[in-house]
Amino acid sequence: MSTAAIERHSLRTVAFAPALALAGLMAFLFARLWPDIGGKPLHEDEAVAGLISARPLGDLLHTVVLDRGGAPLHFILAHVALAIDTTPESLRWLSLVFALATVPVCYDLTRRLAGRSAGLVAAALTATSQMLLVYGTFGRMYSLFAFASALASDLFVRALERPQRREVLAAAAGALLPLAVHPFGAFLFGAEAAVALWLWRGRTLRGALPVLALALLALPLLLTDLRLSDRYAPEAGKDLNSGTSAGAATLHALGGAAGGRGALLAVFVLLAAAGIFAVARRRPAVAAFAALTIAVPPVVLAVASATGVAGDRLGPRHLIFMLPLWIALVAIGATQLGAMLPPKVRVAALAAIVAAAALAPNAVSEPRTIPTGAEGAVAEPAAWLATQLGRGDVLYPYSPVFFAALPAAKEARAYSREPVALARAVKRTGATQRVFISIPLREPLNGDGLRRAGIRFQAFPSWLILESRGPFANGTAVLESAAKLLKAATPLVTETNAHAYTEQIRGTACAALVRLRSAC
């Protein structure tokens, strides 16, 4: 073989090496995530997404934008996924796709800032990230949020590299994506806007008009987020039920992205600090963008919580938009420090950092641990519901057992267990025949008391389904009947957790009826 042929072969090998490495890392992440598609119990948060997304598109958008408030993109994509496969697993496959797609985008983002080696380290950190290992199959918007944030950041960095019209317009469009996925996309959008306005200072407005016109599309998304803030602050906490402070949530989010917690997280903080220092020397605008994206949100959220503007129901998953830039900074810091070492030692050191991230103590916990969402717990009641549900029936509240009853459940209308959203949904509910109420059980229920009280019900080992039959003229009549049924059933449901849950959803129904100026 000639010298020229050997050189061409070497160049091809070098060119294809990153692609092969990325394929291997994505395969590794897929292997880690795939068993969770059907292996993890269904969660109520997934049921919210599934039952809303299974509805006709117009009703879906009304529910998301006007009843609930918030970003619609994940619900629209979930609607498409459920049109292809009307099972709960389709939402988890959707999340898995975007978790996998985040790996190459994080590689490209970091490669632009510090070269291929740093990009491959970032890809490896992404593929082993605790946040993606948990939320990469969780049937909500979180892996999509990570992907959208990575793509927006990558396009913004590219626009800073080459500030041509096409690149700048692509970055402006990309900045809208996180906003369309989650309200906290506003932090990323704001960081990009602040840096862009600073760089544009002193120039004519005319050249920026196309970008400003595109940026105006953010206004409808921000208005839907205000609708959400009227309803409640984001759900939060490690288990999706308890809250945590903004500072703690940020540390858990960053550690969940890469670094874990404790002393190891401190090491990764130092690596990220080295990374942002290295970026600041060559690309100060990018360093400012990264600093604003990571440092500003916890301060704003802490102030909002302290002043009562927002609740304290904040969790690490809401801050997953920080993952791409945090990982990029850690990877850049690691490769910058590694450059001081001999080649063989450098490779070993970078591999050790990736291994440490993969084996780090958990900074985020798995929320899908509730046994009532397991396949064995929901299969029998879901099969029964599939034989009972009719068009227009009401399901209260969103729950894994109703989610498992898809596709039959898509013909019914599900209600939230949050008073404001519930009242809004009730207002636009027409005449219907029946309402089904689901109550999770930790132990089998003795239904003798319910039977003597004349309550229609179906008891399963892990679920109690209450039923009220109409006809009901409108949504208010439906909710009044549900509240009356729950009032009668609550004293007869004696298992502690089920009793508390029954009281809680009755309280929500009564609070919504008060909003509707009706008696409970």
Side-chain angles (χ1 to χ4, degrees):
M1 182 182 291
S2 67
T3 303
I6 292 172
E7 288 178 353
R8 286 196 299 271
H9 177 73
S10 299
L11 287 172
R12 282 197 298 269
T13 302
V14 170
F16 283 111
L20 292 173
L22 287 174
L25 290 168
M26 292 171 71
F28 171 80
L29 181 58
F30 177 83
R32 295 284 302 274
L33 293 177
W34 177 69
D36 293 346
I37 294 288
K40 295 289 185 181
L42 298 176
H43 194 279
E44 182 179 335
D45 223 27
E46 296 178 296
V48 171
L51 291 169
I52 291 174
S53 300
R55 298 287 295 167
L57 185 59
D59 186 69
L60 178 160
L61 291 172
H62 196 293
T63 300
V64 173
V65 175
L66 297 178
D67 290 351
R68 292 176 53 80
L73 183 56
H74 179 262
F75 289 95
I76 294 171
L77 295 175
H79 179 78
V80 175
L82 288 168
I84 298 169
D85 175 24
T86 318
T87 65
E89 287 76 16
S90 63
L91 262 66
R92 292 182 169 182
W93 279 111
L94 182 67
S95 293
L96 187 147
V97 166
F98 285 107
L100 296 178
T102 305
V103 175
V105 182
C106 284
Y107 162 79
D108 194 60
L109 168 64
T110 312
R111 177 195 63 81
R112 291 183 185 279
L113 297 173
R116 287 181 176 178
S117 296
L120 289 174
V121 173
L125 291 173
T126 307
T128 57
S129 169
Q130 295 175 16
M131 289 284 269
L132 289 186
L133 289 176
V134 171
Y135 293 106
T137 55
F138 193 79
R140 285 303 303 266
M141 80 294 286
Y142 302 111
S143 70
L144 173 61
F145 196 20
F147 168 78
S149 302
L151 183 60
S153 300
D154 194 25
L155 291 172
F156 187 62
V157 169
R158 188 181 73 153
L160 294 176
E161 268 179 4
R162 293 180 287 173
Q164 306 300 317
R165 172 168 291 199
R166 186 174 67 177
E167 284 74 12
V168 171
L169 287 174
L176 296 173
L177 281 177
L179 262 178
V181 177
H182 193 279
F184 284 7
F187 288 118
L188 197 68
F189 182 87
E192 289 192 24
V195 172
L197 289 171
W198 175 258
L199 293 175
W200 196 261
R201 71 192 188 282
R203 304 185 191 185
T204 62
L205 182 62
R206 184 176 179 181
L209 286 178
V211 175
L212 291 175
L214 193 58
L216 286 175
L217 295 176
L219 289 178
L221 297 171
L222 292 171
L223 290 174
T224 63
D225 295 341
L226 290 176
R227 186 78 169 169
L228 171 66
S229 68
D230 289 340
R231 184 169 61 93
Y232 61 13
E235 293 178 347
K238 296 177 186 177
D239 59 359
L240 304 189
N241 292 310
S242 60
T244 187
S245 68
T250 302
L251 288 177
H252 283 292
L254 297 179
R261 53 187 169 83
L264 185 59
L265 178 58
V267 173
F268 275 71
V269 170
L270 293 175
L271 290 174
I276 200 166
F277 179 74
V279 173
R281 285 186 300 171
R282 299 190 302 269
R283 309 280 294 278
V286 176
F289 167 57
L292 289 171
T293 301
I294 294 172
V296 170
V299 176
V300 172
L301 292 169
V303 171
S305 179
T307 57
V309 175
D312 62 353
R313 302 178 69 191
L314 176 70
R317 69 194 186 282
H318 300 117
L319 306 178
I320 199 171
F321 66 91
M322 296 180 180
L323 180 147
L325 287 167
W326 173 256
I327 283 178
L329 294 177
V330 170
I332 292 168
T335 51
Q336 290 292 310
L337 296 175
M340 304 175 186
L341 304 173
K344 291 184 179 179
V345 178
R346 182 189 313 155
V347 173
L350 294 176
I353 289 170
V354 173
L359 301 173
N362 288 336
V364 291
S365 57
E366 169 61 67
R368 294 166 295 183
T369 58
I370 303 172
T372 51
E375 183 178 2
V378 299
E380 187 182 357
W384 178 80
L385 282 165
T387 67
Q388 302 296 312
L389 293 176
R391 182 179 294 276
D393 286 347
V394 169
L395 309 175
Y396 178 61
Y398 296 115
S399 72
V401 71
F402 291 147
F403 186 29
L406 287 174
K410 74 177 183 179
E411 302 296 335
R413 178 181 296 279
Y415 279 173
S416 169
R417 62 183 179 108
E418 188 285 319
V420 177
L422 176 56
R424 290 171 180 169
V426 165
K427 283 181 181 178
R428 60 189 189 89
T429 300
T432 189
Q433 294 296 318
R434 292 184 298 180
V435 56
F436 294 89
I437 302 171
S438 62
I439 300 168
L441 303 173
R442 295 289 180 89
E443 56 190 45
L445 176 79
N446 184 337
D448 290 345
L450 294 171
R451 205 170 285 111
R452 284 194 296 270
I455 294 173
R456 293 182 181 275
F457 74 96
Q458 194 74 20
F460 302 91
S462 297
W463 288 93
L464 171 65
I465 309 295
L466 304 178
E467 179 185 354
S468 179
R469 295 186 178 180
F472 305 107
N474 52 42
T476 301
V478 170
L479 196 58
E480 287 173 344
S481 176
K484 181 179 178 182
L485 175 58
L486 287 166
K487 182 178 181 180
T490 298
L492 306 175
V493 179
T494 55
E495 191 259 298
T496 305
N497 290 289
H499 182 84
Y501 185 88
T502 307
E503 284 188 326
Q504 193 272 329
I505 60 174
R506 178 178 177 265
T508 297
C510 287
L513 286 169
V514 169
R515 286 180 168 272
L516 296 167
R517 297 185 176 144
S518 179
C520 182

